[in-house]
Amino acid sequence: MGSHSAVLLQVFIALCLVVFQSSAVKVDADLNTTLTVDASDSSGSPIPDTLLGIFFEEINHAGAGGLWAELVSNRGFEAGGPNTPSNIDPWAIIGNVSYINVETDRTSLFDRNKIALRLEVLCDTTGDNICPTGGVGVYNPGFWGMNIEQGKKYKVVFYVRSTGSINLVVSFTGSNGLGNLASAEITGSASDVSNWTKVETILEAKATDHNARLQLTTTTKGVIWFDQVSAMPQDTYKGHGFRSDLFGMLANMKPRFIRFPGGCFVEGEWLRNAFRWKESVGPWEERPGHFGDVWMYWTDDGLGYFEFLQLAEDLGAAPIWVFNNGISHQDQVDTTAVLPFVQEALDGIEFARGDASSKWGSLRASMGHPEPFDLKYVAVGNEDCNKKNYRGNYLKFYSAIRSAYPDIQIISNCDASSQPLNHPADLYDYHLYTNAKDMFSRATAFDRTSRTGPKAFVSEYAVTGSDAGTGSLKAALAEAGFLIGLERNSDVVHMISYAPLFVNTNDRRWNPDAIVFNSYQFYGTPSYWVQLFFSESSGATLLKASLQSTLSNSLVASAITWKNPVDGNNYIRIKVVNFNLNAVNLHISFNGLDPNTVQLSGSTKTVLTSSSLTDENSFSQPKKVVPIQSLLQSVGREVNVVVPPYSFTSFDFLKQSTNLEIIRSDSSSRASI
């Protein structure tokens, strides 16, 4: 009994030593760090109004089946190709071959998309071959299920013709065809539908199903053709076709620009499959759609060039149009033959900016926007700098655009951060996909960049690979460090956007992404929330700030002043990324403050962190890793704060003329900064 007690005592002492040593290491690692900020009015430098924006690429079904609220996939039956009979996926047949035959043919009303769907109905309500209960026909499951919600209205449009009279039922049902969520009966005499006829109806849902489908059924014998079948929610943003919840996620970012529509989507694996703006404008029924052979899916191009310009306007963001310069991943046009591509770009600019009486401006006006869009930025290609014909092609575009539109800023694909360009440009692209350690180290990437010449557009960046998962805290913190470095170099870095922006969880072509969604759910990854920390940086003032620390490889900080448009108050915002496993005691010292603003009060801190670097958000835990805002306990010209391990912290100090008011509070709340 005594020897057993002695053993237990030895174990207890050993454990105490381990705990003590661990605590000692923790204390030793909590090194004191000082951030000195020159907050005088004359010391700051302006940050470009355009600093933070977004990049939208049609990838991961970001648009088709995502931001663009169209519920029907392959609405024109064109996805199976021009030869008939063709695959109608994801459309499927209701009824067996004894009741119905379904195939495609080339009898469409529309010249640019000739495929139509032909249904030969063999059954009837009387006779030897009686149709099954509920009828026969076709259904469309949308993009992995249609989100139909009780009380909401949906506009269904389709074109139909027939050899006889029609008696159709248009309905939303459950994924198995059961449960009538909403329906309408469509009838017409033979003379009514002997030629193509447009049918419109509004369906109001009686129940909710997030995985619904659209059905077109009949119990009347005969031959019926369908084409261009659409179903759109009636609650899209301003009626412009954008899914309201996903639009809200973009609006919360306060983007100053939107780069679109790609990305590799613009290039195509082959030029024949590249996005062409002229095929994406005009009435939606007449758009041919195309197969995006980089990300390997069909788009009806309902979200076309016009809609992207409208999206930019709705967000209050400057549109940045990326167009094809005669180069794809696999083929390219020689510079001697690139002029048709140049003219296509000039026509696209006229569509956006031309007077309503001009050729292409009149088309824009006919689509409901007689006033020009504010297009001032264009990018010549995407990631094509090292292609054989890029420089020659680029110069053709540059010369033509600069001559016709001297105010437009032209963006080159070639990186000039470390060496000068061999061609003229207003801005240049800088893309970075790398691991977390390297991303964090790139905070100094532009410290030695020439201060003359074109400005940098960091149009694509993200931590990728094992560090990122499908959107980890570790990735977000590394990106935050990189963004602080870009903010500190905003005299040469004029624009920044993360990539990719959206992912439908049913089609992850790329990981990670900023916003994750399915038919009815959505959440922001930690990388999304990091970007909101910088939403006030555009147009703010960068303050001189000096960090004295032995943790230079794991701690970065910046300081800005910004004005809150809501309350009209001015703030000093300090942002700090601690990419270290230990907390840091940070002493913040403000110099150069006007005597009337030497005291700061009513201030907050916002922290993004979690219990593990691999933590991610999900549909079940959408706010597992989100910023948490709380009141600072005390503020003044000298402030001592603790920066948690592996965290991104923002301190907002309110500038005011009253005496210091000490605020002490343990309250905290989750906030979208």
Side-chain angles (χ1 to χ4, degrees), residues 543-561:
L543 300 177
K544 294 178 181 178
S546 175
L547 191 66
Q548 290 84 43
S549 173
T550 59
L551 303 173
S552 58
N553 293 328
S554 59
L555 195 73
V556 292
S558 68
I560 66 170
T561 60

Side-chain angles (χ1 to χ4, degrees), residues 33-281:
T33 297
T34 298
L35 179 68
T36 303
V37 178
D38 185 346
S40 60
D41 293 335
S42 60
S43 70
S45 55
I47 297 174
D49 288 336
T50 56
L51 188 65
L52 265 294
I54 55 177
F55 164 46
F56 186 102
E57 176 164 17
E58 182 58 85
I59 179 177
N60 305 319
H61 275 87
L67 180 64
W68 188 243
E70 172 63 64
L71 297 175
V72 178
S73 177
N74 188 19
R75 66 186 178 190
F77 308 104
E78 304 290 329
N83 299 318
T84 58
S86 57
N87 186 351
I88 62 171
D89 185 67
W91 290 90
I93 302 170
I94 301 171
N96 62 41
V97 293
S98 64
Y99 297 129
I100 186 171
N101 290 326
V102 178
E103 64 180 17
T104 56
D105 64 22
R106 295 183 58 81
T107 62
S108 173
L109 169 66
F110 305 106
D111 291 336
R112 293 200 295 177
N113 39 20
K114 294 303 297 181
I115 305 300
L117 190 67
R118 180 182 185 273
L119 282 65
E120 183 182 7
V121 180
L122 306 175
C123 60
D124 211 332
T125 55
T126 61
D128 297 333
N129 192 8
I130 297 177
C131 293
T133 303
V136 297
V138 291
Y139 73 85
N140 188 288
F143 300 89
W144 302 281
M146 297 180 179
N147 181 36
I148 304 302
E149 298 183 349
Q150 184 177 5
K152 291 190 175 182
K153 295 180 179 180
Y154 303 83
K155 184 177 182 180
V156 178
V157 180
F158 60 91
Y159 288 77
V160 64
R161 72 181 179 94
S162 178
T163 56
S165 62
I166 61 169
N167 190 339
L168 303 172
V169 175
V170 181
S171 61
F172 290 119
T173 73
S175 61
N176 57 2
L178 302 177
N180 186 346
L181 304 173
S183 63
E185 187 176 347
I186 309 295
T187 61
S189 66
S191 60
D192 290 335
V193 292
S194 59
N195 295 312
W196 282 108
T197 302
K198 185 177 183 178
V199 176
E200 297 184 11
T201 187
I202 302 294
L203 301 183
E204 183 172 349
K206 299 177 293 184
T208 294
D209 192 323
H210 303 306
N211 193 30
R213 72 191 201 186
L214 176 70
Q215 295 192 164
L216 301 172
T217 56
T218 185
T219 56
T220 302
K221 186 176 182 179
V223 180
I224 307 172
W225 285 264
F226 291 114
D227 199 10
Q228 297 301 328
V229 183
S230 169
M232 287 286 280
Q234 293 293 279
D235 63 348
T236 62
Y237 183 76
K238 289 187 175 180
H240 290 163
F242 308 119
R243 186 171 143 179
S244 295
D245 53 356
L246 299 184
F247 180 91
M249 291 290 281
L250 300 184
N252 288 342
M253 299 172 74
K254 303 176 184 177
R256 295 301 182 93
F257 66 83
I258 175 171
R259 176 181 183 244
F260 66 88
C264 297
F265 183 72
V266 168
E267 299 169 275
E269 197 67 19
W270 298 91
L271 281 173
R272 64 178 178 269
N273 292 319
F275 177 82
R276 294 295 174 80
W277 77 266
K278 290 182 180 180
E279 296 183 348
S280 74
V281 295

